Amino acid sequence: MAFFLFWLLPFLTGDLQQNPCIKWNTAKNFDFYCIPDGKAPERMTWEEIDKLKHVRLNQASSVLTKSTCKPAEALIWMETYLLVVEFSAGQRKKLRVSNYGGFLSDLGGRFYYVQEADQQKWLDILAEFRHQVNAQH
């Protein structure tokens, strides 16, 4: 039994090693998007995303640098936004942001939980996003 668990361990943790937690301190831009109806962020191409209007809220960095990174959990996403983070080296990463609670998920299988002390600041960032989106219409 112990041998089986030892053999299985790399498969259970392999995703964690292949998809390390985001190093938020290397991020430079935080662009929030409304996800079009019928679209799933993980299936959206960069060309599709680049055509959408976004709201840049770089103050998200101050909250996310303190977030907790954990393996993904099975959750039902009710209302979500897309967050595209651009890093200093130029690469971009897509994340799904929950409007309920303080969590988001990268599409590589990591969840990030906003610290309780930063919950209000995170909700204020999301409120600012919604305010700016409403002003664009």
Side-chain angles (χ1 to χ4, degrees):
M1 178 70 160
F3 173 77
F4 178 73
L5 290 176
F6 181 74
W7 178 80
L8 189 59
L9 189 61
F11 296 102
L12 296 174
T13 60
D15 187 54
L16 305 180
Q17 294 168 352
Q18 292 173 10
N19 296 308
C21 294
I22 292 173
K23 292 182 172 101
W24 297 108
N25 59 341
T26 64
K28 66 176 188 174
N29 290 315
F30 295 78
D31 297 332
F32 288 79
Y33 299 79
C34 288
I35 301 171
D37 289 338
K39 293 284 187 176
E42 55 273 7
R43 292 190 191 102
M44 292 179 70
T45 65
W46 288 114
E47 293 78 24
E48 290 175 302
I49 293 168
D50 291 339
K51 292 177 185 174
L52 299 174
K53 291 182 182 179
H54 70 274
V55 175
R56 180 162 290 164
L57 296 170
N58 287 342
Q59 62 266 40
S61 174
S62 67
V63 173
L64 295 176
T65 54
K66 297 182 274 181
S67 65
T68 304
C69 174
K70 296 183 179 181
E73 298 176 15
L75 295 173
I76 297 174
W77 293 82
M78 298 296 283
E79 183 177 351
T80 61
Y81 305 115
L82 174 64
L83 170 60
V84 173
V85 179
E86 181 183 1
F87 296 89
S88 300
Q91 71 272 39
R92 298 189 294 175
K93 190 163 195 71
K94 297 184 266 187
L95 295 107
R96 181 187 298 253
V97 177
S98 171
N99 187 39
Y100 303 102
F103 62 91
L104 55 157
S105 172
D106 68 30
L107 304 178
R110 292 281 194 205
F111 269 77
Y112 300 88
Y113 294 89
V114 172
Q115 297 294 323
E116 190 171 332
D118 292 322
Q119 283 286 334
Q120 189 55 55
K121 190 171 185 179
W122 183 247
L123 292 174
D124 292 344
I125 291 167
L126 294 179
E128 177 62 22
F129 167 66
R130 287 188 299 273
H131 173 75
Q132 290 192 35
V133 166
N134 290 335
Q136 291 175 357
H137 289 102

